[in-house]
Amino acid sequence: MSWVFWATGLMLTLATWGTVYRIWKGPALLDRVLASDVLLSILTAALCLLMILTDSQFYMILLVTIAMIGFVGSVTVARFADNSKADEPAPASKVIAPGRLKARRQRLAGSKKSRSATKKSEVKSEEGPK
């Protein structure tokens, strides 16, 4: 049975190193946050293994605390993940060529003028003759 604990400990160690590497290098903030959540899960698994090995429940409060911190952190990051899209470059389909941009501005300016003229005529027609 002890070889099971050694094998599990080795797998948790390798997973920890991979996770720490992702936290250190991670290309984006969300990758780092996800890796830190995985690291908390690995720590929880290691504490569970230690509790099984020593046949005690001494670390139970610590396990619950770590699980709560991981959950609250993940929910918080997931809630504000949409706001982090400002750092990402615009997709190629959304980029407008300079010549087309000028034509688009002219069309928008023309439509704004026509809307304001329409509003003025609507106001006059609502007032009716005096």
Side-chain angles (χ1 to χ4, degrees):
M1 191 68 155
S2 77
W3 68 270
V4 173
F5 291 114
W6 281 104
T8 308
L10 179 65
M11 285 189 283
L12 289 174
T13 303
L14 292 174
T16 301
W17 280 109
T19 305
V20 168
Y21 175 77
R22 181 53 53 203
I23 290 172
W24 184 41
K25 290 293 262 193
L29 178 66
L30 289 176
D31 293 327
R32 290 184 170 111
V33 170
L34 182 65
S36 66
D37 192 36
V38 170
L39 187 63
L40 285 175
S41 298
I42 292 170
L43 181 63
T44 303
L47 283 174
C48 286
L49 184 68
L50 183 65
M51 284 174 48
I52 293 170
L53 192 61
T54 60
D55 196 26
S56 72
Q57 296 178 354
F58 183 71
Y59 298 109
M60 189 61 73
I61 303 277
L62 187 59
L63 283 173
V64 171
T65 305
I66 290 172
M68 286 175 55
I69 289 171
F71 174 74
V72 170
S74 296
V75 168
T76 303
V77 169
R79 177 163 178 127
F80 295 108
D82 262 352
N83 296 339
S84 68
K85 291 184 180 179
D87 341 349
E88 299 175 8
S93 63
K94 298 286 183 178
V95 176
I96 301 173
R100 297 177 103 191
L101 185 61
K102 185 176 180 182
R104 189 175 189 180
R105 285 183 184 156
Q106 289 173 348
R107 275 186 301 185
L108 288 174
S111 66
K112 285 181 185 176
K113 288 178 185 176
S114 65
R115 274 190 259 158
S116 63
T118 306
K119 286 182 183 178
K120 287 179 185 176
S121 66
E122 287 175 1
V123 169
K124 288 180 182 178
S125 65
E126 287 178 6
E127 291 175 0
K130 291 186 179 180

